[in-house]
Amino acid sequence: MLDHELAAFIESPVMQIIGTADADRRPEVGRGVGAWPLDGRRMAIVVSAWQWPGTVANLQDNGMIAATFSRPSDYVTYQIKGRAEVREAAADEIERSERYMVAMVSALMRLGIAPDIIAPWLTHREARLVTVDVASVFVQTPGAKAGSKLWSATT
């Protein structure tokens, strides 16, 4: 489940990598630009259909998603797998995405990464809201617990 601690982590300035696969199971990876919990079993992620058209197409075609959230300062990382639906993002969701992008640029700049290097990663042009029904959560922080299941809807 998306408990308070995990929900706060997902909403913080963390890298958001969205993994999908097409009908032939070829992988596709995109980036999210803002995520937040909707309730204990669902979450939202904003993604640019302009920048990541394959990712969005895969989500629309089959809904399978593996979203990874990683804090760049210490690599604390979680992966959330589930089923997704995609729609055009509303104005308030785009505003929330903009706040995430500002926070992410600030966090990366504190680590010494120049804004011109960061800018191509972060856009919400043709913003889509991906709503994920969470099926499982995994710890992916490097170390002994990497890959361990934190929660699953089936257990």
Side-chain angles (χ1 to χ4, degrees):
M1 270 190 136
L2 300 176
D3 64 17
H4 178 70
E5 184 178 323
L6 183 56
F9 181 83
I10 289 167
E11 286 187 275
S12 71
V14 293
M15 301 301 294
Q16 302 173 2
I17 307 300
I18 300 170
T20 65
D22 67 14
D24 295 322
R25 300 188 61 91
R26 287 184 301 246
E28 178 80 26
V29 177
R31 289 188 184 268
V33 286
W36 57 90
L38 297 170
D39 57 39
R41 291 283 304 271
R42 295 181 318 125
M43 62 175 297
I45 308 170
V46 176
V47 64
S48 167
W50 171 81
Q51 190 171 38
W52 309 110
T55 297
V56 172
N58 291 343
L59 292 171
Q60 290 171 326
D61 288 345
N62 62 43
M64 296 185 308
I65 186 170
T68 303
F69 302 89
S70 184
R71 189 167 47 215
S73 62
D74 59 8
Y75 297 107
V76 169
T77 305
Y78 295 93
Q79 184 179 65
I80 294 175
K81 293 184 178 184
R83 304 291 288 169
E85 293 182 3
V86 181
R87 66 165 170 77
E88 190 171 329
D92 63 319
E93 295 158 343
I94 293 169
E95 284 180 32
R96 201 165 183 168
S97 173
E98 289 171 352
R99 289 192 301 271
Y100 161 81
M101 289 189 291
V102 168
M104 193 70 228
V105 168
S106 178
L108 291 171
M109 286 178 62
R110 284 192 302 274
L111 295 172
I113 302 172
D116 58 324
I117 293 173
I118 302 164
W121 305 347
L122 302 173
T123 181
H124 56 60
R125 183 173 166 186
E126 296 180 27
R128 299 296 182 265
L129 189 79
V130 177
T131 303
V132 181
D133 287 322
V134 178
S136 53
V137 179
F138 296 85
V139 175
Q140 295 294 5
T141 304
K145 293 184 179 181
S148 62
K149 191 179 292 185
L150 188 62
W151 179 84
S152 175
T154 60
T155 56

